[in-house]
Amino acid sequence: MKRNQVSIAVATALTVIIGCSESINDNTPNAKETPTPAIQEEVLGSRVEVEAVEADAIQVMPSSPTAKIAYRRAAHKQLAVMSMPNPAPYLADPFFEPENRDKYLDTPSNSTHLVATTPLSTFSVDVDTGSYANVRSYLKMGNTPPADAIREEAFINYFDYNYPAPSTKVQPFSVNTELALAPWNAERQLLRIALKGYDIPINERKPSNLVFLVDVSGSMNEPNKLPLLVQSLSLMAKNLGSDDKVSLVTYAGNASVVLEPTQGDDQQAIINALKSLQAGGGTYGESGIKLAYQQAKNGFIKDGVNRVILATDGDFNVGVTSLDALKDLVEEERENGISLTTIGFGRGNYNDAMMEQLANIGDGNHAYIDTLHEAQKVLLRQMSGTLQSIASDVKIQVEFNPNTVKEYRLIGYQNRKLRDEDFNNDKVDAGEIGAGHTVTALYEVTLVGDQGRIDDLRYQVNTSGKAGFGDELAQVKVRYKLPGEEQSKLTTQLVNNNKDKRQFTEASTDFQFATAVAAFAQKLKDNHYVDGLAYSQIADIARENRGDDPHNYRGEFVSLVEIAQSL
């Protein structure tokens, strides 16, 4: 087809596309914002043929950046289709994305509570970071993540903070609090509760009996899935010793044992077994997980770490697909001393809802690996914390003083909330803290006398004349069990009011950075609580409080905020 005919075809096709694009984006709050750097580079790097088409069809070139991107994408597509003997537009489209069947739990942001009616807030700790890495992969591809993919606590806990370490292993973690004004609303303050676990050098950790349960179904045949998975687990294998054991179980159309329990220092055998994996077939997850637990029992190490590490891109679509049935199986094996960690890969049919819940029930943690850099973080730098728990069934209960605090809102931990009576019940399962892990929880609080979100109650009990407990804002209680023990221990700490209302910029560097992360997660989730803070302000706070950042995790966060601003 001649060039002028191509341009006519493109111009005709794009008239409708551009019109729709401008119509849609004119009603979008971010319509006038600059496209992401990735998209800009993609557009500026267009082929010469596209520029030639545009030269002939310049009269229909739109002026808005968003519509220009739509125009050029369509031009790419049109040229690719016309160059094929039998046009197949969706196969030829370089921007085509397959249907996204990712699954997430419904996790709306926590609401605000009046202290007069609900003075207690109880939840289980959580150190999972999978949500942050998963959302990062969306943003780096130029896509806005689903709101339910965002778990605020996973964003906050993705980063290390320089909290004081405990002075003794009798209480395996320290408890610290900090209070300052919220940067998004002068009527709100932020209360940070911070836990820091003691660290264990790799040469002092308990021996580990690990079972790699690997999904090798057909959908894993992508560069960011099985090949990345093999590289990631190989990194971990290189840091195991003679006291450790490794098994390898795969599942696809059926399940099989690729490697029986093998000593950890036989690294070549482990790596060769991993490198032998090939993707193909269905996803018979039921058989795979049962076989993995059987291998864990075969290699069981008394008083050691016995753990199944499930690595997959998606769902169990053959056999036991009921999440409740899987939960029962994982809970039963947890009682037998075998924990479960889940690691997600790839995009398209990723079942985040299942992965996160199974890890919670299995006394493990949930991570998402999108790059080898992330694999190094999860499986190397944080290996001791990933494998070895220093405290189990860790629960936090905060009691707010109605004489000083009017309202509160817990940021994140939606699916880790507990009933108030569960706090003292040692039979109720809760989260684990691994060696060296930090746990951070942020409350947004409104003090008495400030303008809250909820009107004062007309018929509330008058507390005048009763003990006001001075300037106390809250009492923080933490329950936990030491490894191998059945009875929990309790530690408490009081939070006093700062009458001068400490300014946000006076808070510690870690406090300010964690606040920026919390604000970013909430803004991405579009929950309206941080409307008073723009993406650019969040980036500025994070940039100014980056601190010591040897692996560029905080620097990367700043770039993610800037990408989100342009979407």
Side-chain angles (χ1 to χ4, degrees):
M1 184 178 286
K2 294 181 180 179
R3 191 159 65 90
N4 63 336
Q5 291 176 305
V6 175
S7 64
I8 292 171
V10 172
T12 303
L14 293 180
T15 300
V16 175
I17 294 172
I18 295 164
C20 292
S21 174
E22 290 180 322
S23 174
I24 292 171
N25 285 286
D26 283 346
N27 294 320
T28 303
N30 297 328
K32 295 183 179 180
E33 293 184 357
T34 305
T36 67
I39 293 179
Q40 289 177 333
E41 182 179 352
E42 183 179 77
V43 172
L44 293 174
S46 299
R47 293 180 301 174
V48 174
E49 291 95 331
V50 177
E51 299 297 338
V53 170
E54 290 177 354
D56 279 349
I58 193 69
Q59 66 273 16
V60 297
M61 172 63 80
S63 58
S64 75
T66 307
K68 283 183 179 179
I69 292 171
Y71 179 98
R72 286 174 169 166
R73 285 187 173 187
H76 268 298
K77 178 176 176 179
Q78 189 70 16
L79 284 168
V81 171
M82 291 178 178
S83 66
M84 296 177 65
N86 296 305
Y90 293 104
L91 292 176
D93 185 358
F95 299 98
F96 170 69
E97 294 178 5
E99 179 187 358
N100 191 330
R101 299 185 301 277
D102 295 348
K103 298 177 183 177
Y104 299 99
L105 285 177
D106 184 19
T107 55
S109 297
N110 290 324
S111 58
T112 301
H113 295 280
L114 275 174
V115 177
T117 60
T118 314
L120 293 177
S121 173
T122 309
F123 64 97
S124 163
V125 301
D126 193 354
V127 295
D128 293 343
T129 60
S131 173
Y132 178 83
N134 182 26
V135 168
R136 177 180 61 199
S137 71
Y138 274 103
L139 293 173
K140 287 193 171 182
M141 290 189 294
N143 298 324
T144 301
D148 288 329
I150 300 161
R151 291 191 290 274
E152 296 98 325
E153 76 280 1
F155 275 55
I156 298 169
N157 288 319
Y158 181 85
F159 301 93
D160 290 328
Y161 301 102
N162 191 29
Y163 301 147
S167 57
T168 173
K169 294 182 180 180
V170 174
Q171 182 180 311
F173 52 83
S174 61
V175 181
N176 307 279
T177 61
E178 189 171 1
L179 184 72
L181 284 171
W184 54 77
N185 191 316
E187 300 286 343
R188 312 279 179 261
Q189 296 201 47
L190 292 176
L191 168 62
R192 185 193 69 182
I193 301 171
L195 278 57
K196 169 69 174 179
Y198 67 81
D199 207 351
I200 298 176
I202 291 180
N203 60 355
E204 294 181 14
R205 63 177 175 78
K206 294 180 180 179
S208 297
N209 166 40
L210 306 178
V211 181
F212 296 154
L213 174 56
V214 177
D215 179 356
V216 291
S217 61
S219 64
M220 291 290 289
N221 191 24
E222 295 181 22
N224 65 339
K225 294 184 180 180
L226 187 58
L228 179 59
L229 184 156
V230 169
Q231 286 181 298
S232 300
L233 294 181
S234 296
L235 285 174
M236 189 178 199
K238 291 177 181 178
N239 283 268
L240 299 175
S242 58
D243 293 334
D244 301 314
K245 297 179 185 178
V246 174
S247 307
L248 177 59
V249 175
T250 62
Y251 65 93
N254 53 53
S256 62
V257 178
V258 178
L259 186 70
E260 299 276 353
T262 301
Q263 281 188 303
D265 60 351
D266 192 355
Q267 295 172 0
Q268 198 56 53
I270 299 169
I271 293 172
N272 287 344
L274 287 166
K275 288 183 176 179
S276 72
L277 302 183
Q278 294 182 336
T283 315
Y284 194 13
E286 175 189 2
S287 177
I289 198 166
K290 288 182 176 179
L291 192 56
Y293 278 122
Q294 184 59 53
Q295 289 301 305
K297 292 173 183 175
N298 292 345
F300 194 87
I301 299 176
K302 186 178 180 180
D303 297 325
V305 176
N306 297 278
R307 180 164 303 200
V308 172
I309 298 179
L310 169 61
T312 176
D313 75 328
D315 211 344
F316 291 4
N317 57 21
V318 180
V320 175
T321 55
S322 164
L323 184 56
D324 289 337
L326 284 173
K327 286 179 179 179
D328 291 341
L329 174 62
V330 172
E331 182 177 7
E332 179 183 349
E333 296 298 345
R334 181 193 74 206
E335 297 302 318
N336 293 330
I338 303 173
S339 56
L340 176 71
T341 285
T342 59
I343 303 177
F345 292 83
R347 175 77 62 244
N349 63 331
Y350 179 57
N351 193 337
D352 177 86
M354 178 193 74
M355 298 283 275
E356 197 256 351
Q357 288 184 79
L358 291 184
N360 288 347
I361 294 168
D363 279 357
N365 42 19
H366 167 55
Y368 181 91
I369 292 179
D370 55 339
T371 64
L372 199 57
H373 187 54
E374 183 67 14
Q376 291 172 327
K377 178 180 187 290
V378 174
L379 301 177
L380 285 185
R381 301 187 187 105
Q382 298 177 342
M383 183 176 176
S384 292
T386 299
L387 293 181
Q388 189 160 330
S389 296
I390 59 172
S392 62
D393 291 340
V394 184
K395 309 168 188 174
I396 296 177
Q397 185 171 80
V398 182
E399 180 184 358
F400 289 96
N401 181 1
N403 295 285
T404 54
V405 182
K406 178 180 180 180
E407 299 171 349
Y408 68 88
R409 180 174 65 87
L410 175 61
I411 299 174
Y413 295 94
Q414 290 93 321
N415 62 342
R416 301 293 266 171
K417 289 190 291 186
L418 299 172
R419 295 176 302 178
D420 293 335
E421 60 266 32
D422 290 341
F423 181 75
N424 293 318
N425 186 350
D426 285 348
K427 294 183 180 179
V428 174
D429 182 57
E432 274 58 47
I433 296 180
H437 276 165
T438 59
V439 180
T440 303
L442 285 173
Y443 281 93
E444 181 192 72
V445 298
T446 305
L447 301 187
V448 171
D450 289 335
Q451 180 62 48
R453 291 192 174 93
I454 305 173
D455 290 340
D456 290 331
L457 299 180
R458 177 178 177 84
Y459 303 108
Q460 65 183 341
V461 176
N462 186 349
T463 59
S464 60
K466 295 185 178 181
F469 296 96
D471 292 327
E472 289 181 18
L473 290 184
Q475 178 181 228
V476 178
K477 298 188 293 184
V478 183
R479 277 203 176 277
Y480 63 96
K481 296 175 184 174
L482 293 174
E485 296 190 1
E486 297 296 325
Q487 186 172 354
S488 67
K489 298 180 181 296
L490 174 68
T491 183
T492 64
Q493 185 163 323
L494 295 176
V495 181
N496 292 316
N497 187 17
N498 181 351
K499 293 182 178 180
D500 296 330
K501 288 192 175 180
R502 186 185 188 200
Q503 296 299 310
F504 177 70
T505 53
E506 297 174 344
S508 67
T509 294
D510 279 342
F511 183 100
Q512 293 186 56
F513 186 84
T515 299
V517 177
F520 179 57
Q522 292 176 93
K523 199 168 185 69
L524 271 182
K525 207 170 178 66
D526 194 26
N527 65 12
H528 74 265
Y529 286 113
V530 292
D531 286 346
L533 204 63
Y535 279 120
S536 59
Q537 293 172 292
I538 295 173
D540 288 342
I541 293 171
R543 190 180 294 109
E544 292 166 5
N545 293 277
R546 183 175 173 181
D548 185 25
D549 187 26
H551 304 296
N552 196 41
Y553 298 136
R554 295 190 177 194
E556 182 187 52
F557 171 78
V558 175
S559 69
L560 291 183
V561 177
E562 292 171 343
I563 290 173
Q565 181 180 12
S566 67
L567 292 179

